[in-house]
Amino acid sequence: MNFMKKQLVFVLCLFLTWVTVTAQAQEAIPLKYGAQRIGKRTDPAMQRWRDNRFGQFIHFGLYSIPGGYWKGKCYNGAAEWIKSGARIPNAEYEKLTEQMVLPEFDAREWARIAKNMGVKYSVITTKHHEGFCLWPSKYTDYTIANTPFGRDLLKEYVDAYTAEGIDVYFYFSIIDWNHKDWRGSVKSREDSLAFERFKTFTLNQVSELITNYPEVKGFWFDGTWDPSMVKSGSFTYDIEQRMHELKPDIICGSRLRVDEKGARHFDSNKNLMGDYEQGWERSLPDAALPNDWEAVMTIPENQWGYHSSWKGHIKNANELIEMIAKATSLDGNFVLNFGPKSDGSIRKEEQLLAKQIGGWMAKNGEAIYDCGMAKFKEQKWGYFTANPKTNALYMVVTNHPATGQLKVNVPQGTVIDQCIPLGSSAPLKLEKSTKNEYVIQAPKAKSNEIYVLKLTLKKGDSVGNYVAPKM
Ligand code: FHN
């Protein structure tokens, strides 16, 4: 072979290798228990979940009674994990049921606090890892029915929140430290039989919740990371199927699911399982994601259930408001956690934050609800959000400029007609400084104030990247 021919053969080989590798890369792995849908859900129930944008989380259970202390010793780990942290045997821990009296519990008061904070949905721990149920389940005695309180707390919560127009969602832990058939790993035939019984128990409880509380809009599953679960693609698939049989438009986060190859949240083909990405815990993404997502946040560093001694950094209202704005600007939902006290009341610090956030939302919620990502880039002063239904564009200003001038970069050709602070009717002075920049005379604001400006673009200009899926 002469040199030219050799070169031709070499190039041909390279080309064939590239074709084979590309074909292999594109070939999807056949999966029975993988994602059941590719892309975002487009139905009204899911659009409502998106439009809600701001939610509340409630962690309440037997762990709320010791509040982070056991036999006089403080456990700084998450309060709802105290059974594990203090290695409390079942028989001893179960005695906490005798102290579940809840003299101050009033679901309507919880719902009022949530409503005034401005949340549109609330997620409550029907059962956390400890296994104690806030509803009178017929599948176990370890429930609220067998406490001095005795009433159906979950029903009171569902009724009170629904009456306030707040959607209810159920947190449900698959891990159940109290159930004799729960297995973190399956090592023997006995384990396997026990775990099969546990699966039936779980399916029964999930069905019971959907049937007895038909107002529930969706489930927030947790405790799905143990080896027994990571090998249980078919079980998580069965739960998802059962939920949809009972309530076709039910919403379920990705944390429930695992495929047959052990991939969690996203299946082995990288497709999201469930309706939204549920992995954002105490953190937010820095860029837009291709799927729906929700972030859940604690007020202290890592306490979900009630801990009587919060330690470390406690977030203030502005930090939390900024997170709400950031989540919206990236097409995500933000959920703020509350850990009610053992007497059933909500602690003072949480009530104060709820009031402060609620004050801000009452004035500026227009830039959050029904909103999502704008086509404009994040800028030093804060976040853009956009409402695709009204074609309104908002600037959530988290860094008030010392110069009093807000420099706004816009895509070429964008014409801003007007800029008005929310809550005012007086337009701000607006100048075009260069072809891609406007300068807005900022309103008078306290140095730590977060405020919102509403921009009107020239007729016909679109504001958002956030395009609500077509129904
Ligand atoms: O272990 C739980 C924890 O207690 C809390 O419920 C959080 C809430 O997102 N989820 C688990 C940890 O990921």
Side-chain angles (χ1 to χ4, degrees):
M1 256 198 284
N2 64 26
F3 182 70
M4 281 291 278
K5 268 189 187 160
K6 269 189 194 160
Q7 270 202 330
L8 206 68
V9 171
F10 178 70
V11 170
L12 203 67
C13 287
L14 266 183
F15 176 71
L16 286 175
T17 315
W18 176 79
V19 169
T20 323
V21 169
T22 314
Q24 276 169 354
Q26 281 170 355
E27 208 171 289
I29 302 164
L31 293 171
K32 191 166 173 200
Y33 305 124
Q36 299 302 298
R37 182 198 62 253
I38 311 282
K40 293 184 181 182
R41 249 174 80 169
T42 58
D43 57 294
M46 194 65 201
Q47 189 55 39
R48 183 178 169 105
W49 178 89
R50 270 177 214 119
D51 289 346
N52 284 344
R53 285 297 179 228
F54 181 32
Q56 175 194 42
F57 214 158
I58 291 191
H59 274 70
F60 187 68
L62 290 178
Y63 48 80
S64 313
I65 297 169
Y69 282 80
W70 194 255
K71 297 190 173 158
K73 184 172 167 202
C74 178
Y75 288 83
N76 287 324
E80 69 282 1
W81 274 76
I82 196 156
K83 182 173 191 292
S84 158
R87 300 179 187 281
I88 309 168
N90 275 356
E92 213 179 318
Y93 192 81
E94 280 168 13
K95 289 207 183 98
L96 287 171
T97 53
E98 294 161 17
Q99 295 176 54
M100 184 61 85
V101 184
L102 305 184
E104 301 298 327
F105 173 71
D106 179 358
R108 288 164 310 177
E109 180 60 12
W110 286 15
R112 266 194 296 274
I113 291 171
K115 177 83 178 174
N116 290 337
M117 181 166 69
V119 295
K120 299 277 187 184
Y121 68 106
S122 176
V123 190
I124 189 168
T125 49
T126 57
K127 169 171 107 161
H128 203 266
H129 311 333
E130 63 180 7
F132 178 75
C133 303
L134 292 186
W135 80 102
S137 174
K138 69 175 179 197
Y139 300 103
T140 172
D141 289 336
Y142 200 37
T143 81
I144 195 84
N146 298 314
T147 65
F149 177 72
R151 293 163 11 214
D152 182 349
L153 188 148
L154 188 61
K155 176 150 177 47
E156 292 183 24
Y157 161 89
V158 169
D159 289 348
Y161 276 68
T162 305
E164 290 288 3
I166 301 173
D167 292 346
V168 292
Y169 285 77
F170 291 166
Y171 167 107
F172 186 98
S173 168
I174 303 271
I175 289 180
D176 186 327
W177 291 332
N178 189 262
H179 199 284
K180 61 178 179 19
D181 291 331
W182 162 255
R183 295 290 184 280
S185 58
V186 175
K187 293 185 181 126
S188 64
R189 189 175 141 67
E190 272 217 326
D191 283 348
S192 168
L193 291 173
F195 201 53
E196 287 308 311
R197 288 193 297 272
F198 182 77
K199 289 178 183 172
T200 307
F201 164 72
T202 303
L203 271 169
N204 282 338
Q205 283 207 316
V206 170
S207 307
E208 180 181 52
L209 282 168
I210 301 174
T211 310
N212 292 357
Y213 308 92
E215 296 87 347
V216 67
K217 298 277 191 268
F219 272 67
W220 206 102
F221 285 98
D222 203 0
T224 49
W225 47 74
D226 277 337
S228 56
M229 285 303 294
V230 176
K231 290 189 181 135
S232 292
S234 66
F235 173 41
T236 66
Y237 170 86
D238 288 348
I239 297 176
E240 194 180 35
Q241 295 304 307
R242 173 74 64 87
M243 291 197 312
H244 284 291
E245 274 158 32
L246 293 170
K247 193 174 170 95
D249 65 357
I250 202 152
I251 292 172
C252 180
S254 60
R255 200 178 284 203
L256 168 68
R257 296 282 274 109
V258 59
D259 73 9
E260 55 263 59
K261 298 190 178 295
R264 298 183 60 226
H265 294 273
F266 291 87
D267 70 14
S268 303
N269 292 316
K270 310 249 177 306
N271 294 315
L272 183 75
M273 293 181 282
D275 301 318
Y276 62 90
E277 193 182 337
Q278 201 191 341
W280 295 96
E281 187 169 307
R282 295 187 293 126
S283 69
L284 271 76
D286 279 321
L289 302 173
N291 41 262
D292 285 308
W293 61 273
E294 177 196 75
V296 290
M297 189 58 62
T298 49
I299 295 169
E301 274 164 25
N302 186 21
Q303 294 296 345
W304 299 89
Y306 174 72
H307 196 299
S308 55
S309 326
W310 274 354
K311 294 212 167 61
H313 178 66
I314 314 294
K315 295 171 195 73
N316 65 36
N318 270 7
E319 285 172 87
L320 296 165
I321 291 166
E322 175 161 6
M323 291 180 199
I324 299 170
K326 180 172 179 183
T328 306
S329 78
L330 295 174
D331 280 350
N333 284 10
F334 184 82
V335 172
L336 183 61
N337 182 68
F338 284 66
K341 292 165 69 175
S342 59
D343 63 5
S345 68
I346 293 189
R347 72 195 298 160
K348 290 277 173 299
E349 301 94 320
E350 291 177 347
Q351 289 200 40
L352 177 64
L353 280 171
K355 208 170 151 199
Q356 291 167 334
I357 295 171
W360 189 89
M361 289 296 290
K363 184 172 170 197
N364 302 297
E366 189 185 320
I368 304 295
Y369 309 123
D370 299 336
C371 289
M373 193 160 90
K375 69 177 179 189
F376 304 82
K377 280 195 271 156
E378 184 184 325
Q379 295 176 29
K380 285 186 190 138
W381 44 258
Y383 306 90
F384 271 122
T385 67
N387 184 328
K389 295 177 190 166
T390 59
N391 208 37
L393 180 66
Y394 302 94
M395 290 169 56
V396 183
V397 181
T398 49
N399 301 312
H400 178 64
T403 58
Q405 296 191 335
L406 285 157
K407 298 206 167 137
V408 184
N409 287 97
V410 293
Q412 200 166 344
T414 305
V415 179
I416 304 178
D417 273 345
Q418 205 179 43
C419 171
I420 303 185
L422 284 188
S424 151
S425 55
L428 298 172
K429 191 170 158 232
L430 177 76
E431 280 171 0
K432 189 154 191 185
S433 58
T434 66
K435 68 177 182 280
N436 289 339
E437 187 186 78
Y438 279 84
V439 177
I440 296 172
Q441 195 58 51
K444 287 212 161 39
K446 293 185 209 108
S447 61
N448 63 351
E449 192 178 331
I450 298 180
Y451 54 87
V452 177
L453 308 181
K454 184 174 182 177
L455 303 182
T456 313
L457 300 188
K458 184 188 74 188
K459 209 161 185 273
D461 266 11
S462 85
V463 294
N465 278 343
Y466 172 61
V467 182
K470 288 209 169 40
M471 304 290 172

